Amino acid sequence: MKRQPKKLLHFLVSLVTILFLDSCSTINSDLTADRLALEALRKAVGGRSLLWNISNGNPCSWVGVYCQKNRVVELHLPAMGLSGQLPLGLANLTELQSLSVRFNALSGTIPADFGQLGSLRNLYLQHNSFSGEIPEFLFNLQNLVRLNLADNKFTGAISLNFNKLTRLATLYLEENQLSGSIPDLNLNSLDQFNVSFNNLSGPIPEKLSTKPANSFLGTRLCGKPLPPCNGNGTSNGGNGDDDKLSGGAIAGIVIGCVIGLLLILMILIFLCRKKRTKENAGVSDTTREPKPVEIEIPGDKPATDSGGNASSTGFGGSAAVAAAAVAKSSGSNKGLVFFGNTPRVFDLEDLLRASAEVLGKGTFGTTYKATLEMGMAVAVKRLKDVTVSEKDFREKIEAVGKINHESLVALRAYYFNKDEKLLVYDYMPMGSLSALLHGNRGSGRTPLNWETRSGIALGAARAIAHLHSQGKANSHGNIKSSNILLTTSYEARVSDFGLAHLAGPTPTPNRIDGYRAPEVTDARKVSQKADVYSFGILLLELLTGKAPTYSHLNDEGVDLPRWVQSVVRDEWTSEVFDLELLRYQNIEDDMVQLLQLAINCTTQYPDNRPSMAEVRNQLEELCRSSSLGHDDDTEDTLQTVSVDSGAPPSA
């Protein structure tokens, strides 16, 4: 009997060992299934960016793959240049909670086994070319919180089965080809909703009437928050008897018309007598205030850039410079205020008579190209959301006008009225760096070579360093590629400097873009070190060819510094650079030096970033060494980049 406890102990130890080994086997088996699913994805989609180190058996170390408890829970592959179709088999990622393949060129339908991803909470497929109807199996994803299918080619109707997704907080379906009406969605948790620019029609359901009007733009929908369906807010229903007018109503209409005609006749008689009196008194008609001139924009061209992310926004209306004429007719006779030695070859009236076209819609307003009758072209920015007083405005804008540098876009004049604030700049015919980098990536594109890109970086750095040298309080506040304009010889000219102090206290969410330093909470209070961060993003944009994109609320944006650092850590540094740069020989060393400078500029802690003067000096040295020629000894250069550890600066 005494030997039984010892036997029992051996049995328990053996049982625990078996269970432990079985558990390890299960974990390894699950991770193996995850790995096979990711390898199938890699084989199915094109694009150079999805270069995982397959020799490393653990997929948790691959770029864009995030694991918990040795299982893949998040897959983030935004803006990777992926093409083709998503394969079957991703449902094997049974613990997947977030999937983002947005801003790629994927096409086809959503794979049928997506309905088996029971743990999925966030699905971001926007800005691709997915097609077909929104599949019914998506409504099996009961844990789905955020669903973004915007800017694809989905067709068909919006299904009432969206009501099955009871936890859904975000539903973006804009810029597709959806048709029919919006069903009566009853989702209490739905906070963000957009179906704009679809072929939708009919009334907006009452539960969605509290959403903003821009959630329904570009459709034939009606009802709150859009205009009523029949023009007066009443129903078109009812029987024939209710629609007939009574005799009293008809009589009232007739009497009202007669009274209206009599009033019109009396007004005309009064005006004729007044005119005759003036003529008798010898008053000339030429002394009257000239009628405001309105300028029409041929074709209402869409904006080429709306925040530095190469996205275009269509908008119409008469030219902004014409609005100054309305302000003038309201009693202000103040004209353009010119700066320095700017030739006074035109005035406000010349500006009002100019032909104009939209160049772009940016953070601080809309910019127009105004071609004067004499043939001269200027750029006119119509400011919006100006919150400072007239005195403060004039003081701040005159301080901006006094800053002169060859790499800054010269501010020539301004116009101030309580309703209109206009700024007149030199016109840059080559447009912005953003348009040049991202506007046309097709076969007919002329690539930007290394010398051009590094020269643009140096010119911009010199301009910003000059701004910073004017005093510690001087910063740009809005550095991005759409604000780097180019001359005909591709020399950089920095624009929009000094305008952040004129704007409102908080920008709208879609203006918080990938250039903003993490410590910045108020757009009016951007430090010089925050400018350095934005300039570092600009350098990464020049090196990678990728544009930071606007982020939606609760939708993680493309973090360019984080992506670059993850690639560098995995020793795939060559995959960071734009393919257009890799075709040039003997520039690897220079590219890596510039990449290291960009990483230093975009470190998390401001005190760890260099000053713009130091950045300018390093760029000057880099461009100087480039012009003297390159050494052939570039072996292993692409493995020498170091990334910021994330540690705060030492005391």
Side-chain angles (χ1 to χ4, degrees):
M1 297 294 294
K2 293 182 179 179
R3 303 181 68 179
Q4 287 182 355
K6 184 176 291 187
K7 289 182 178 180
L8 181 61
L9 179 62
H10 282 301
F11 172 75
L12 291 175
V13 170
S14 300
L15 180 62
V16 170
T17 303
I18 292 171
L19 291 175
F20 175 75
L21 292 174
D22 181 66
S23 174
C24 291
S25 174
T26 302
I27 291 175
N28 289 334
S29 175
D30 289 340
L31 189 60
T32 299
D34 288 351
R35 185 176 188 272
L36 292 175
L38 294 176
E39 288 182 356
L41 173 64
R42 180 175 179 267
K43 291 177 182 177
V45 298
R48 68 166 177 94
S49 298
L50 200 55
L51 293 178
W52 290 328
N53 188 0
I54 301 299
S55 61
N56 184 346
N58 186 0
C60 298
S61 63
W62 297 350
V63 175
V65 180
Y66 302 88
C67 297
Q68 287 181 3
K69 297 180 180 179
N70 221 29
R71 291 302 307 276
V72 176
V73 294
E74 295 185 20
L75 184 58
H76 292 275
L77 304 172
M80 290 289 194
L82 306 181
S83 60
Q85 300 185 15
L86 293 178
L88 290 169
L90 289 179
N92 291 326
L93 302 172
T94 55
E95 298 299 320
L96 190 66
Q97 298 177 16
S98 292
L99 173 61
S100 175
V101 291
R102 58 201 184 94
F103 290 96
N104 284 293
L106 297 169
S107 58
T109 58
I110 299 176
D113 59 352
F114 262 45
Q116 302 173 30
L117 294 171
S119 300
L120 197 65
R121 292 170 50 85
N122 306 307
L123 180 58
Y124 304 125
L125 303 181
Q126 68 267 37
H127 294 278
N128 281 284
S129 296
F130 290 110
S131 57
E133 296 187 358
I134 298 174
E136 288 290 318
F137 54 74
L138 287 184
F139 307 126
N140 297 329
L141 305 178
Q142 297 296 312
N143 289 314
L144 206 59
V145 177
R146 300 182 184 90
L147 177 61
N148 195 331
L149 305 178
D151 199 4
N152 279 286
K153 298 178 180 179
F154 288 110
T155 56
I158 299 175
S159 175
L160 185 61
N161 286 330
F162 273 108
N163 284 328
K164 294 181 179 179
L165 304 178
T166 55
R167 302 182 62 187
L168 199 63
T170 298
L171 178 59
Y172 286 137
L173 302 174
E174 68 267 24
E175 297 189 64
N176 279 286
Q177 300 167 19
L178 301 174
S179 56
S181 60
I182 302 178
D184 190 11
L185 297 181
N186 186 20
L187 297 169
N188 294 328
S189 59
L190 191 63
D191 179 50
Q192 296 173 303
F193 179 78
N194 197 323
V195 292
S196 58
F197 300 101
N198 279 287
N199 300 321
L200 299 172
S201 59
I204 296 173
E206 184 178 355
K207 291 250 178 168
L208 299 175
S209 62
T210 58
K211 304 302 178 187
N214 58 13
S215 297
F216 309 98
L217 296 178
T219 67
R220 292 171 302 193
L221 296 166
C222 57
K224 289 184 179 180
L226 299 181
C229 291
N230 61 353
N232 59 11
T234 60
S235 172
N236 284 324
N239 55 42
D241 293 337
D242 292 336
D243 291 338
K244 293 179 180 179
L245 292 174
S246 65
I250 295 174
I253 292 173
V254 173
I255 293 172
C257 291
V258 172
I259 293 174
L261 287 172
L262 290 174
L263 287 174
I264 293 173
L265 287 173
M266 291 174 65
I267 293 172
L268 289 174
I269 292 171
F270 172 77
L271 292 175
C272 289
R273 286 183 177 179
K274 185 176 180 181
K275 180 179 179 181
R276 190 178 298 112
T277 302
K278 285 186 176 182
E279 290 175 349
N280 293 337
V283 179
S284 173
D285 289 341
T286 58
T287 60
R288 298 179 189 174
E289 185 72 18
K291 183 180 180 181
V293 181
E294 292 190 357
I295 306 171
E296 295 184 356
I297 307 172
D300 285 343
K301 295 185 178 180
T304 56
D305 194 275
S306 179
N309 301 304
S311 62
S312 60
T313 306
F315 57 98
S318 61
V321 291
V326 179
K328 183 177 179 182
S329 66
S330 66
S332 173
N333 57 4
K334 298 177 182 178
L336 293 173
V337 178
F338 288 85
F339 292 105
N341 297 323
T342 301
R344 274 66 167 175
V345 295
F346 61 91
D347 57 19
L348 183 60
E349 293 295 333
D350 295 321
L351 209 56
L352 300 180
R353 289 192 296 269
S355 62
E357 66 176 279
V358 178
L359 293 177
K361 186 177 182 181
T363 304
F364 302 119
T366 304
T367 304
Y368 300 83
K369 174 188 176 183
T371 305
L372 305 173
E373 291 180 348
M374 67 187 72
M376 177 183 179
V378 293
V380 180
K381 179 181 286 291
R382 181 191 187 189
L383 297 178
K384 66 174 183 178
D385 300 330
V386 174
T387 58
V388 299
S389 65
E390 178 177 355
K391 179 182 177 183
D392 288 342
F393 178 89
R394 293 187 184 276
E395 287 180 355
K396 293 178 184 296
I397 210 65
E398 286 175 6
V400 171
K402 292 178 181 178
I403 301 176
N404 293 312
H405 190 273
E406 63 180 1
S407 294
L408 291 173
V409 178
L411 176 59
R412 297 303 184 186
Y414 75 92
Y415 173 84
F416 182 93
N417 181 278
K418 65 178 182 179
D419 299 314
E420 296 296 335
K421 291 87 181 171
L422 307 177
L423 304 179
V424 182
Y425 293 93
D426 286 345
Y427 171 65
M428 296 286 110
M430 295 300 293
S432 70
L433 174 61
S434 175
L436 202 62
L437 270 177
H438 314 297
N440 174 24
R441 303 291 288 190
S443 58
R445 169 180 168 81
T446 301
L448 283 175
N449 60 31
W450 170 248
E451 288 74 16
T452 301
R453 297 193 197 206
S454 59
I456 290 171
L458 177 57
R462 285 172 172 169
I464 299 166
H466 179 75
L467 283 175
H468 288 188
S469 70
Q470 305 300 301
K472 290 185 177 180
N474 278 0
S475 62
H476 187 289
N478 194 30
I479 297 170
K480 53 187 177 181
S481 59
S482 60
N483 283 336
I484 309 299
L485 306 183
L486 303 172
T487 67
T488 53
S489 55
Y490 294 100
E491 296 175 343
R493 297 290 185 267
V494 178
S495 68
D496 265 26
F497 55 93
L499 303 185
H501 303 290
L502 305 175
T506 54
T508 54
N510 67 336
R511 296 298 179 199
I512 303 176
D513 56 41
Y515 297 90
R516 186 70 51 81
E519 72 273 11
V520 174
T521 57
D522 189 337
R524 301 172 303 170
K525 300 176 181 179
V526 177
S527 68
Q528 293 185 354
K529 284 301 180 75
D531 273 354
V532 173
Y533 181 94
S534 301
F535 186 77
I537 299 294
L538 180 70
L539 293 180
L540 292 178
E541 193 172 356
L542 280 166
L543 287 168
T544 65
K546 295 182 180 293
T549 57
Y550 287 119
S551 302
H552 298 292
L553 289 176
N554 298 322
D555 184 354
E556 179 184 341
V558 178
D559 190 336
L560 199 51
R562 179 182 172 189
W563 175 78
V564 168
Q565 291 185 15
S566 67
V567 175
V568 170
R569 284 195 185 101
D570 288 345
E571 298 185 351
W572 289 94
T573 305
S574 61
E575 297 306 317
V576 166
F577 299 119
D578 191 346
L579 281 175
E580 290 183 352
L581 289 176
L582 296 178
R583 70 179 67 187
Y584 299 103
Q585 301 296 320
N586 299 326
I587 62 170
E588 293 91 345
D589 186 49
D590 293 338
M591 290 195 300
V592 170
Q593 288 185 51
L594 189 58
L595 178 62
Q596 183 66 68
L597 177 59
I599 290 175
N600 293 342
C601 290
T602 54
T603 186
Q604 181 179 2
Y605 294 97
D607 289 343
N608 286 347
R609 301 170 196 155
S611 67
M612 275 310 302
E614 293 171 327
V615 173
R616 177 201 59 203
N617 293 341
Q618 290 186 49
L619 278 169
E620 287 177 343
E621 180 61 31
L622 176 63
C623 291
R624 188 180 301 115
S625 63
S626 288
S627 64
L628 293 176
H630 306 276
D631 295 330
D632 292 333
D633 185 15
T634 57
E635 185 177 359
D636 295 333
T637 295
L638 300 181
Q639 308 295 335
T640 61
V641 179
S642 63
V643 296
D644 176 40
S645 64
S650 57

